[in-house]
Amino acid sequence: MQDIRVLGLDLDGTVFDDQKRISPRTMAAMRTAIDRGVTVLPATGRPVTGVPQEFLQLPGVRYALTSNGATVTELATGRRIVELTFDADLAMQVYDIVRGFDSALSIFIDGRSYTTADNLDKMVEFSPPELRPYLRDSRIPVQDMHELMRRHARGIEKFSILYPDYATRDAARAAVLAACRVEATASLGANLELNAPGVTKGRALVALAETLGYTRENVMACGDSDNDLAMIRMAGLGVAMGNAQPEVLAAAAAVTGDNNHDGVAQAIEKYILQGAGSGAERY
């Protein structure tokens, strides 16, 4: 039986259903876990300003893991528990490569997401309809991305890029990896997410747990996508959503229901609220 004390939850495709809603059952399960002393936090590729208020306003949510693990923030104070940003020269090198491909590029800096007006129009074109309101609301348009990066050289957390098709995405990914040592993952469709070397949700989640006095065996994580893979592998109990990508399903110790059928709530109820926690079990 595992004593789960820290619960990291991916958002898109995990806590959110396909309409970007958090179900009442999932909200209730998270609230009950918090009431029982579990540290529940979003573990997302979004910047901290992109985490939905309905999650952040749950009483007892103290931290947010954002930008795929580039930061873990104490919400009450804004203090960074984990801060794993890009080296400025490496970030500039990455930018110079990726801007040569047809794409919609955002750069996450100091908890915010920036893009150009042209890129924002492309994001709407390249993204699924249910994601478009979030993209419009969360992106801050700027005129010159290169100048922005120069002014915030020490705060660059992540590159988030949408492509018109998988072939273009794969070509851009190959070009970046041929020239740079970075973490390259994806979370939806033909997108690419680039972090500094060694930066993953798993590394940041375990670092937070250790800061709180726990070990990785006290950590549970739920996710569905490539950018959740390290978190699923590193957690003491990695739980894949029923809708997870094949690599995530293969890596997980347990599989729960999908994101449209309260998979997160099922996992919390089974492994935390009922106290049954064998990492070898599968639904």
Side-chain angles (χ1 to χ4, degrees), residues 73-108:
T73 304
E74 185 178 51
L75 296 169
T77 64
R79 181 171 65 99
R80 296 284 176 86
I81 308 298
V82 175
E83 189 165 25
L84 301 167
T85 55
F86 270 94
D87 170 81
D89 290 340
L90 176 60
M92 287 296 187
Q93 185 182 9
V94 169
Y95 177 73
D96 286 341
I97 295 170
V98 298
R99 68 176 175 167
F101 294 83
D102 184 20
S103 67
L105 169 68
S106 300
I107 303 178
F108 294 6

Side-chain angles (χ1 to χ4, degrees), residues 31-165:
R31 187 178 295 112
T32 304
I34 292 167
D35 290 345
R36 295 195 183 183
V38 177
T39 297
V40 177
L41 69 153
T44 178
R46 298 180 181 216
V48 69
T49 53
V51 180
Q53 287 301 306
E54 60 187 315
F55 195 132
L56 296 181
Q57 290 175 355
L58 267 175
V61 173
R62 299 169 55 200
Y63 306 100
L65 185 161
T66 54
S67 295
N68 285 344
T71 60
V72 177
T73 304
E74 185 178 51
L75 296 169
T77 64
R79 181 171 65 99
R80 296 284 176 86
I81 308 298
V82 175
E83 189 165 25
L84 301 167
T85 55
F86 270 94
D87 170 81
D89 290 340
L90 176 60
M92 287 296 187
Q93 185 182 9
V94 169
Y95 177 73
D96 286 341
I97 295 170
V98 298
R99 68 176 175 167
F101 294 83
D102 184 20
S103 67
L105 169 68
S106 300
I107 303 178
F108 294 6
I109 300 175
D110 295 328
R112 294 177 173 83
S113 178
Y114 297 89
T115 191
T116 64
D118 288 346
N119 272 323
L120 187 54
D121 290 340
K122 282 188 176 182
M123 280 177 206
V124 173
E125 178 186 349
F126 295 165
S127 64
E130 64 273 8
L131 198 60
R132 291 169 187 169
Y134 159 69
L135 292 173
R136 289 193 190 98
D137 293 344
S138 64
R139 268 45 178 179
I140 301 170
V142 296
Q143 288 190 337
D144 189 333
M145 297 282 272
H146 212 268
E147 176 58 26
L148 176 76
M149 293 173 66
R150 291 187 187 280
R151 287 190 284 110
H152 298 274
R154 296 186 179 181
I156 299 169
E157 299 169 7
K158 192 185 88 164
F159 293 81
S160 179
I161 315 165
L162 288 167
Y163 293 91
D165 50 60

